[in-house]
Amino acid sequence: MKNLKKIRKAVIPVAGLGTRFLPMTKAMPKEMLPLVDKPVIQYIVEELVAAGIEEVIIVTSANKRAIEDHFDRNFELEYRLQKDGKRELLDEVRKIQNLARFAFVRQQEPLGNGHALLQAKLLIGNEPFAFAYGDDILEGKVPAIKQMLEVYEEYGTTTIGVVKVDDEGTRNYGIIKAEKISAKVSRVVGTIEKPGPEAAPSHWANPGRYIFTPSIFTALEKIRPGKGGEIWVADAVSHLLKTEPIYARELECEYFDCGNKLGYLKAVLHHAVKHDHYGKEIKVYLKSIT
């Protein structure tokens, strides 16, 4: 499809309280939990940037200041590293703030991820954009968002990333009903939130990756509050299906749900054994305790 606006911006909502990780997240955002030596959210930003995203809008809350600080400059730290001749660490620290242009907007009340997305409306304007949850890591040879951009560039409409889950996964994630149109692409005809294996129309779940057209904001403003009296992106997607086609891209990647403890621990181990400096020792240690 020709004359499409380039996807330049992405939104990451991180305003949640992280209650599933308490007491660890009492004072630290769950998105800042480390995978060896980088926080979860940095992996997500790096995925977006590798797909060509230039501006990242992060929707925060009052207790998420550490995220803003992580992507900002730290003059005192840089001065100390430079003074001590720690050039490699200095370059690593400076690289973070230069990954993209960052903008931060506050969600004043925890009224759902759809409400969080609405806080970014003025910063997005009338542009298509990427949307990624702040605790889902997807790793593949081609960044997940880039795989989805290829579909968006062909069809010019909202695109959902999906991964295959087992029966238990159908109880934990939103599941799509879709009609396959090519090897990795389907047209979405419906979505069901956590249906369970008996009611699930498929085993394809959305791991928190979307390419949205600006019409998602109209859908969010029209829908009524859903579960818990909050506004949810999933409900807006269902509403959007009434007015525009939506496509799903089966993502070729490994998925880590860092929004729960088990998924986070798996991600830690995965990145530990792959680490350039510690990987070999971690593998030896894991063999010794198993």
Side-chain angles (χ1 to χ4, degrees), residues 12-285:
I12 307 176
V14 298
L17 297 174
T19 53
R20 283 185 286 182
F21 281 88
L22 287 171
M24 182 162 50
T25 50
K26 181 175 181 289
M28 180 174 69
K30 68 176 179 179
E31 297 83 5
M32 288 298 295
L33 295 176
L35 299 181
V36 187
D37 49 13
K38 288 194 296 188
V40 168
I41 192 170
Q42 186 173 331
Y43 284 92
I44 296 166
V45 169
E46 288 174 348
E47 175 204 325
L48 294 168
V49 171
I53 296 299
E54 301 168 4
E55 183 174 340
V56 178
I57 301 162
I58 301 179
V59 184
T60 68
S61 59
N63 62 337
K64 299 295 181 87
R65 181 63 186 270
I67 296 174
E68 298 180 35
D69 290 343
H70 181 71
F71 292 105
D72 198 2
R73 289 199 69 176
N74 186 324
F75 291 100
E76 182 178 355
L77 175 61
E78 291 181 26
Y79 170 77
R80 285 291 179 183
L81 292 174
Q82 188 164 14
K83 183 180 179 182
D84 295 342
K86 297 180 179 179
R87 188 72 209 183
E88 187 175 343
L89 283 175
L90 177 61
D91 291 343
E92 193 69 27
V93 167
R94 283 178 172 169
K95 183 176 73 174
I96 298 170
Q97 71 225 22
N98 294 320
L99 284 170
R101 293 191 300 275
F102 292 96
F104 299 90
V105 59
R106 288 282 178 91
Q107 183 185 21
Q108 300 294 335
E109 299 178 77
L111 296 177
N113 54 26
H115 180 265
L117 176 52
L118 278 170
Q119 309 314 301
K121 180 180 178 180
L122 290 178
L123 293 174
I124 292 294
N126 192 35
E127 295 185 39
F129 63 98
F131 181 74
Y133 292 160
D135 51 15
D136 290 304
I137 289 181
L138 295 161
E139 292 196 349
K141 291 182 180 179
V142 178
I145 287 291
K146 188 170 184 178
Q147 295 177 42
M148 295 164 60
L149 282 172
E150 293 169 359
V151 178
Y152 169 78
E153 288 164 2
E154 182 172 356
Y155 297 102
T157 190
T158 292
T159 303
I160 302 174
V162 293
V163 296
K164 198 77 172 282
V165 296
D166 57 16
D167 283 352
E168 186 60 30
T170 64
R171 295 187 175 94
N172 299 320
Y173 303 101
I175 303 297
I176 68 160
K177 181 179 181 181
E179 299 171 347
K180 210 167 186 66
I181 58 175
S182 68
K184 296 292 180 181
V185 180
S186 300
R187 180 162 175 168
V188 180
V189 296
T191 63
I192 303 177
E193 190 65 23
K194 303 177 182 178
E198 297 80 11
S202 73
H203 281 74
W204 291 105
N206 174 250
R209 293 294 188 278
Y210 300 86
I211 301 293
F212 281 129
T213 62
S215 54
I216 187 64
F217 293 116
T218 302
L220 285 166
E221 290 166 343
K222 285 184 176 180
I223 62 173
R224 295 181 178 181
K227 182 181 177 182
E230 299 181 359
I231 299 172
W232 299 102
V233 166
D235 294 338
V237 170
S238 294
H239 188 277
L240 199 58
L241 270 171
K242 302 173 184 177
T243 58
E244 71 175 52
I246 295 177
Y247 292 89
R249 172 58 154 91
E250 297 172 14
L251 299 173
E252 300 169 78
C253 61
E254 194 159 3
Y255 170 46
F256 299 97
D257 181 356
C258 294
N260 68 74
K261 291 178 183 177
L262 180 59
Y264 170 69
L265 290 172
K266 288 179 179 179
V268 171
L269 291 173
H270 172 83
H271 288 85
V273 298
K274 287 178 57 180
H275 197 276
D276 292 340
H277 297 297
Y278 309 118
K280 289 182 179 179
E281 291 184 44
I282 291 295
K283 289 177 183 177
V284 171
Y285 175 69

